[in-house]
Amino acid sequence: MQRTVQRLWHLRHRFISPISKAVIRSRGVETGKNLKLWGMPIVAIAAGSRVALGDSVVLTSSSRMTALAVAHPVVLRTLRPGAEILVGSDTGMSGTTVCAAISVRIGARCLFGADVIVSDTDFHPVDVVPRRHLGLPQPNCDDAVRIGDDVFIGARSVVLKGVSIGDGSVIGAGSVVTSDIPAGVIAAGSPARIIRSLREKP
Ligand SMILES: CC(C)(COP(=O)(O)OP(=O)(O)OC[C@H]1O[C@@H](n2cnc3c(N)ncnc32)[C@H](O)[C@@H]1OP(=O)(O)O)[C@@H](O)C(=O)NCCC(=O)NCCS
């Protein structure tokens, strides 16, 4: 019974997926070959900004299609002209939110666990007086986020502005990444700290 339900869901997605792809393309997303959409992502692209997905990217926005389930669809949102979100080929995201005021670049073959947040802005000024009513803080190139190739980010982690994560690294579930993480390590916690190198035996 469970299997039949699963098959029916796959069948349903096979019909709906081309429509979802056409919708996100019509909203300005540049897509590569073999994009796979499980459910409909939320896409909002500011005028004069860019969202580009490489070949074979998989975006999972439906809880039926991922073991951990997702709290909401994938969100890809640029916030101002000139901003960019670039996602490398074969990267998979489940219920991930990516917001860019400047630039978020994600490499190839990355894995994003359920409900990860990646953003290159604080959205509000930190000074008390203007915080409530002013818009985005002045964008700063140092706030760009860079996530390398083959990075695995555990469920419900948050990657904050100005952070780089090196190729192949793993970020533990529920981490808050506030500063750069080098390539080839496991880092976790809030703030995320290196636990060990991936080249070492545990
Ligand atoms: C990061 C992770 C891969 C580490 O696994 P591991 O190499 O087996 O590490 P261990 O469980 O041996 O833990 C090593 C240390 O890191 C700590 N640690 C592990 N994961 C942590 C996390 N998410 N946050 C904070 N600390 C963590 C452990 O408490 C332990 O600390 P100690 O040495 O002081 O006791 C794993 O814990 C994890 O978070 N996986 C992500 C799972 C996920 O979200 N999957 C998404 C599904 S799509």
Side-chain angles (χ1 to χ4, degrees):
M1 180 65 180
Q2 175 76 12
R3 252 191 143 145
T4 315
V5 172
Q6 198 68 23
R7 271 200 200 122
L8 284 172
W9 272 98
H10 273 88
L11 209 59
R12 181 177 180 271
H13 276 278
R14 198 177 293 174
F15 286 111
I16 291 178
S17 183
I19 300 169
S20 307
K21 285 185 207 176
V23 169
I24 70 163
R25 285 179 187 132
S26 74
R27 291 185 185 152
V29 178
E30 299 162 41
T31 60
K33 286 178 278 174
N34 303 323
L35 171 66
K36 191 171 264 183
L37 298 179
W38 298 114
M40 184 66 187
I42 295 170
V43 171
I45 306 182
S49 68
R50 213 181 147 209
V51 175
L53 308 177
D55 292 344
S56 305
V57 164
V58 181
L59 303 181
T60 303
S61 299
S62 161
S63 288
R64 291 187 187 274
M65 295 302 169
T66 178
L68 277 182
V70 293
H72 53 70
V74 169
V75 178
L76 302 172
R77 195 187 298 278
T78 54
L79 302 163
R80 49 183 299 281
E84 63 176 11
I85 296 173
L86 307 181
V87 180
S89 59
D90 204 21
T91 282
M93 299 178 171
S94 299
T96 301
T97 299
V98 184
C99 284
I102 288 274
S103 171
V104 176
R105 291 188 185 184
I106 295 166
R109 300 173 302 278
C110 292
L111 277 172
F112 285 64
D115 304 326
V116 167
I117 295 175
V118 181
S119 176
D120 66 359
T121 174
D122 292 330
F123 293 88
H124 302 280
V126 287
D127 293 330
V128 175
V129 175
R131 191 185 300 151
R132 178 73 183 91
H133 294 292
L134 280 190
L136 287 175
Q138 199 53 35
N140 177 347
C141 289
D142 293 342
D143 293 343
V145 172
R146 297 284 177 261
I147 297 175
D149 294 333
D150 303 295
V151 170
F152 172 20
I153 303 189
R156 308 216 161 180
S157 292
V158 181
V159 179
L160 294 173
K161 69 179 191 303
V163 162
S164 291
I165 301 176
D167 292 347
S169 284
V170 177
I171 306 298
S175 297
V176 180
V177 190
T178 60
S179 58
D180 292 354
I181 303 295
V185 300
I186 299 183
S190 176
R193 298 282 185 242
I194 296 172
I195 294 174
R196 67 179 169 85
S197 165
L198 278 167
R199 286 176 264 280
E200 290 166 14
K201 289 263 183 260

